[in-house]
Amino acid sequence: MDDGGDMPLPSPKIGQAANKIASLGSSYLDFAKQFYADAKDRQANLDSVTGKVVGSQLGAQDTLSGWAAADRDRLEKVFQPLQDQYIADAQAWDSPERQAAAAAEARGDVVKAAASQDAARQRQQASMGVNPNSGRWAGADRAADTATALGAAGAENKARGDLRLQGMGLRASAIGMGNGLAGQASAALATGAQIGNSATGNVAAANSANINTAGIMQSGTQTAIDGYTKQAGVLTNLYNGQLSAWNAQNNAASQSNSDLMGAIGTGAGLIFSDENAKENKEPATGTLEAVRSMPVQEWDYKPGMGDGGRHIGTYAQHFKAATGKGDGHSIPVIDAIGVTMGAVKELDAKVEKLARGMPAYHRKGEPVGRGGRGIR
C-alpha cells in the first residue's frame, strides 16, 4: 500500500495574505524612514535656531549678571561710603548743638538789625529835639527792646524748626537712595536667572523633540517587525494545517496497510488468516448485493493526496455504507478481499444454478488444482 503521498500545497490566497501583511509592514517602515529623515532635517533647523536663541539668552544673562555685579561693586565702593557719610550728616544735622548754633546765629541777625534800627531812631529823635533823658525817649527805647527780644526769639524758633525739617528730609533721601540701588541689583540678578532658566527650558524642549523624532523610527521598525511576525504566524499555522492533513492521510494509509499487513508472517505480502487464530465465525451473506451497490470507477488522487497515480476502485464511503466496514475514508483491504471473494461465490452459485437447468450441463473435464476444485 502507498502512504499518504506528498504534503498538499497551501492555498495561494493564504500566502498572498501573508505577503500582504509583510508588504504593509515594509511599506510603513519605508514611510517611517522618510518621515524620520524629514524630521531630522526639521530638527536640525530647530536646533540651529534654538542654539542661536539660547546663545542670545545666555549672553543677555551674562550681561545682566555683569551689570548686577558692577552695580553691587559700585554700591559698596562708591555709594555706601557716601550714604554712610550722608546718613551721619543727616542724623547730626538737627542735633541740639546745631540747633543752638542756628538759633544764636538767627538771634544775632535780629539783634544786629534791631541795633541798626535803634541808632536810626535815636538820630531821628535827636533831629526832632527830643531830650535823651526824657520819658519819651526812654519809652521809645523800651518799645524797641521789646520788639528786638520778640524778633530774636521768633528767629531762634524758626531756625531750629527749619533745621529739623532739613534733617528729616536728608535722612529720608539717604534711606531711599540706598534701597533703590540694592533693588536694582537684585532685579538685574533675578532677570538674569530667569533668562537662564528660559534658555535651559528651550534646550530641554529641543532635546525632547529630538527624542520624539527618534521614536518615529522606533515605531516604524516595530510595525515592520509586527508585520513579519504575523507573516511568520500565518505561515506557521499554514504549515501546521498541512502537517495535520498529511498526518491524517498517512494515518489512513497506515490503517489500510495495517489491515493488509497487520499480522504478516515470514512471507512478505501475505495476510495472516489462519483459521485457528479466528473466532466468532459465521457465514458472510449479501456480499454480491454489496458489490452491486458500490460504484467502481477509474480515478486520480487530487494533488498532494495519495500516491498521485491513476487507479480503479470504489470509494470508502460506499464501501462502509454497503458492508459496515471501514471508517468512511479508507477501505480495509482484508475486508475488501473478503467481500470480493464472497460476491464471486454468490455469483458462482447463481451461475451454477442456472447451468443445472440447462440440458447439456455437466462438470466433466474440470481442471483440478492442488487442495480442491479449481476455477473453470
Side-chain angles (χ1 to χ4, degrees):
M1 290 289 292
D2 295 325
D3 59 14
D6 298 332
M7 185 181 298
L9 298 175
S11 170
K13 293 183 178 180
I14 298 176
Q16 292 170 5
N19 289 333
K20 186 64 175 177
I21 293 173
S23 177
L24 289 174
S26 180
S27 297
Y28 187 84
L29 176 59
D30 292 339
F31 164 78
K33 287 180 178 179
Q34 183 59 47
F35 190 88
Y36 177 68
D38 295 341
K40 283 184 66 178
D41 291 339
R42 291 194 298 270
Q43 186 64 42
N45 293 333
L46 177 60
D47 289 344
S48 176
V49 174
T50 302
K52 292 179 180 178
V53 172
V54 170
S56 176
Q57 290 174 327
L58 292 177
Q61 178 190 11
D62 293 341
T63 299
L64 289 175
S65 297
W67 289 354
D71 288 346
R72 184 67 189 181
D73 184 69
R74 184 174 176 80
L75 173 65
E76 293 177 352
K77 293 181 178 180
V78 177
F79 286 98
Q80 283 185 349
L82 291 177
Q83 288 174 353
D84 293 341
Q85 183 60 47
Y86 194 83
I87 291 170
D89 292 344
Q91 289 176 338
W93 188 260
D94 57 347
S95 64
E97 292 79 5
R98 284 185 58 83
Q99 291 183 34
E105 184 177 357
R107 180 182 180 86
D109 292 340
V110 171
V111 170
K112 183 178 179 180
S116 177
Q117 292 175 0
D118 187 55
R121 177 181 56 78
Q122 289 179 359
R123 286 193 298 273
Q124 182 181 14
Q125 286 182 345
S127 65
M128 293 174 60
V130 178
N131 184 4
N133 297 318
S134 64
R136 182 179 176 185
W137 186 283
D141 286 341
R142 285 195 299 271
D145 291 341
T146 301
T148 298
L150 291 174
E156 290 177 349
N157 292 333
K158 185 177 183 303
R160 289 188 178 92
D162 290 343
L163 198 61
R164 283 194 296 268
L165 291 176
Q166 290 174 3
M168 292 174 62
L170 290 173
R171 282 192 294 271
S173 177
I175 292 171
M177 184 192 312
N179 291 338
L181 287 175
Q184 289 176 6
S186 298
L189 209 56
T191 302
Q194 183 178 4
I195 292 175
N197 291 334
S198 177
T200 303
N202 288 336
V203 172
N207 290 338
S208 177
N210 188 53
I211 292 173
N212 291 336
T213 301
I216 296 171
M217 190 66 177
Q218 180 181 5
S219 175
T221 303
Q222 186 60 51
T223 301
I225 291 174
D226 291 343
Y228 289 121
T229 301
K230 290 178 181 178
Q231 181 191 37
V234 171
L235 294 177
T236 299
N237 291 336
L238 173 62
Y239 172 75
N240 289 336
Q242 292 173 331
L243 188 60
S244 296
W246 185 73
N247 286 334
Q249 184 65 25
N250 280 342
N251 289 337
S254 297
Q255 182 63 39
S256 297
N257 287 335
S258 177
D259 290 337
L260 179 62
M261 308 289 290
I264 294 180
T266 57
L270 298 179
I271 298 175
F272 182 67
S273 189
D274 188 347
E275 183 178 6
N276 296 322
K278 302 174 183 179
E279 61 182 3
N280 298 324
K281 308 179 191 90
E282 59 183 31
T285 60
T287 53
L288 180 59
E289 184 62 30
V291 171
R292 283 198 185 107
S293 67
M294 290 185 287
V296 178
Q297 296 180 340
E298 187 174 356
W299 37 260
D300 295 326
Y301 281 113
K302 292 181 178 180
M305 304 294 290
D307 60 3
R310 189 162 182 80
H311 299 280
I312 297 175
T314 188
Y315 307 110
Q317 292 87 342
H318 296 282
F319 189 86
K320 179 175 176 61
T323 65
K325 305 298 182 181
D327 57 6
H329 297 287
S330 59
I331 298 175
V333 176
I334 192 167
D335 292 323
I337 294 174
V339 169
T340 302
M341 292 178 65
V344 171
K345 287 179 62 68
E346 289 185 16
L347 182 60
D348 178 69
K350 288 180 177 290
V351 171
E352 186 158 346
K353 183 178 180 180
L354 291 174
R356 287 180 186 280
M358 297 175 63
Y361 172 77
H362 65 85
R363 298 181 64 87
K364 293 180 180 180
E366 297 175 352
V368 177
R370 192 173 45 172
R373 186 190 309 169
I375 300 175
R376 289 180 291 175

